[in-house]
């Protein structure tokens, strides 16, 4: 099996169970390995026949930041479920057959670096796909504290103006063509929605468009409350900073 490896990444995020770890971000090292066939990509010289690893590691960094995992084990299995999920509707990439992720906390112990390493095959996982008026929702993973979802807006689909009163929500735009709050939403842009902030997405294109969504706590159907009026004013973040391990 062919391999794509991304090694030596470092992010700062909240991860840990102890009170002091819940308040301050700490360094986390990430090593990722994907097992797949790269023969088609070698022949076509097109990214769509491989995996866009630059976009993928940005999405992984987003998940590590907004999910605020309590255990490295939980973080690792969530990331594996994400990278092994089938492509979103209308998207093309090489199927990933297996993946390995290693997460390390270099500042957790004096004189040692604790880590966890998990490997899974795509066949180890199954995914719930929910039909919605705007398209579909892929349930990537739900824990006791957060839910990770991929929202797929069909051509012409609209997620109506709504608020959340219980959930905190953060979203990363995965494709190019969506409107958020009536304005173009750049691919890779991130929005963190405070409670009671009205927000809306529209897909004016003729292809599916997708959003990576994290809810804390995990999705509560009755907390998706449609409202009237104007969308809230939110300044999006332009992607997530990545750096090489120090």
């Amino acid at each position: 099996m062919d391999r794509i490896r991304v090694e030596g990444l470092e992010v700062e995020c909240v991860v840990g169970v102890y009170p002091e770890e819940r308040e301050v971000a700490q360094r986390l090292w990430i090593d990722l390995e994907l097992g797949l066939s790269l023969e088609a990509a070698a022949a076509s010289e097109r990214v769509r026949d491989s995996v866009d690893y630059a976009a993928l590691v940005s999405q992984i960094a987003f998940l590590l930041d907004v999910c605020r995992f309590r255990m490295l084990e939980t973080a690792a299995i969530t990331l594996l479920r994400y990278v092994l999920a089938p492509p979103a509707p209308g998207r093309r990439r090489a199927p990933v057959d297996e993946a390995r992720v290693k997460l390390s906390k270099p500042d957790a112990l004096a004189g040692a670096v604790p880590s966890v390493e998990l490997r899974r095959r795509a066949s180890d996982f199954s995914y719930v796909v929910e039909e919605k008026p705007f398209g579909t929702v892929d349930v990537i993973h739900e824990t006791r504290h957060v839910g990770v979802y991929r929202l797929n807006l069909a051509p012409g689909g609209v997620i109506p103006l709504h608020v959340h009163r219980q959930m905190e929500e953060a979203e990363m735009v995965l494709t190019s063509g969506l409107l958020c709050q009536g304005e173009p939403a750049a691919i890779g842009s991130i929005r963190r929605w405070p409670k009671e902030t009205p927000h809306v997405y529209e897909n004016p294109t003729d292809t599916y468009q997708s959003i990576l969504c994290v809810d804390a706590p995990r999705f509560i159907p009755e907390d998706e409350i449609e409202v009237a009026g104007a969308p809230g004013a939110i300044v999006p973040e332009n992607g997530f900073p990545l750096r090489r391990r120090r």
Side-chain angles (χ1 to χ4, degrees):
M1 189 177 294
D2 304 322
R3 305 283 172 182
I4 292 176
R5 292 188 178 95
V6 180
E7 300 173 323
L9 287 175
E10 178 180 295
V11 300
E12 288 193 0
C13 60
V14 171
V15 57
V17 297
Y18 299 111
E20 61 272 18
E21 294 180 305
R22 304 308 301 163
E23 300 299 328
V24 179
Q26 61 182 298
R27 291 190 296 159
L28 192 66
W29 293 346
I30 311 162
D31 295 314
L32 177 68
E33 177 184 292
L34 308 179
L36 69 170
S37 173
L38 297 174
E39 186 172 349
S44 70
E45 298 184 313
R46 294 177 177 176
V47 173
R48 71 183 188 182
D49 291 322
S50 181
V51 171
D52 186 343
Y53 51 79
L56 181 60
V57 296
S58 182
Q59 293 154 22
I60 286 173
F62 166 76
L63 290 174
L64 290 169
D65 177 60
V66 302
C67 288
R68 298 170 62 91
F69 292 108
R70 286 160 172 79
M71 299 285 288
L72 288 181
E73 293 87 343
T74 310
I77 203 71
T78 302
L79 297 183
L80 285 171
R81 286 188 61 87
Y82 182 67
V83 302
L84 289 170
R91 300 296 117 185
R92 178 175 168 180
R93 66 157 171 77
V96 181
D97 297 312
E98 67 176 36
R100 176 186 64 86
V101 63
K102 179 179 178 181
L103 302 176
S104 308
K105 292 169 69 173
D107 303 319
L109 297 176
V113 178
S115 66
V116 300
E117 181 174 338
L118 280 70
R119 184 189 299 269
R120 295 290 187 275
R121 293 184 176 274
S123 57
D124 293 332
F125 298 132
S126 60
Y127 299 87
V128 173
V129 179
E130 299 176 347
E131 298 291 332
K132 300 289 184 179
F134 61 79
T136 61
V137 172
D138 302 322
V139 181
I140 301 299
H141 194 44
E142 293 180 318
T143 75
R144 290 192 301 141
H145 303 286
V146 297
V148 178
Y149 312 96
R150 189 170 59 198
L151 316 182
N152 308 301
L153 279 74
V158 176
I159 299 178
L161 189 70
H162 65 283
V163 300
H164 306 299
R165 297 191 174 123
Q166 301 177 60
M167 299 181 297
E168 294 183 353
E169 191 167 69
E171 294 170 323
M172 172 182 267
V173 175
L174 299 179
T175 54
S176 178
L178 280 171
L179 299 179
C180 179
Q181 314 296 69
E183 300 291 334
I187 186 170
S189 59
I190 296 168
R191 290 161 180 82
R192 304 173 195 251
W193 303 108
K195 296 174 185 177
E196 302 286 356
T197 303
H199 49 291
V200 57
Y201 284 97
E202 304 165 74
N203 177 10
T205 74
D206 59 2
T207 60
Y208 270 86
Q209 303 291 334
S210 297
I211 304 161
L212 179 55
C213 174
V214 174
D215 289 326
R218 62 189 187 182
F219 184 68
I220 303 169
E222 59 270 23
D223 196 39
E224 187 96 348
I225 304 165
E226 292 190 25
V227 296
I234 289 289
V235 178
E237 303 170 34
N238 295 317
F240 195 89
L242 298 170
R243 59 174 175 270
R244 194 180 283 272
R245 182 181 303 164
R246 299 198 297 269

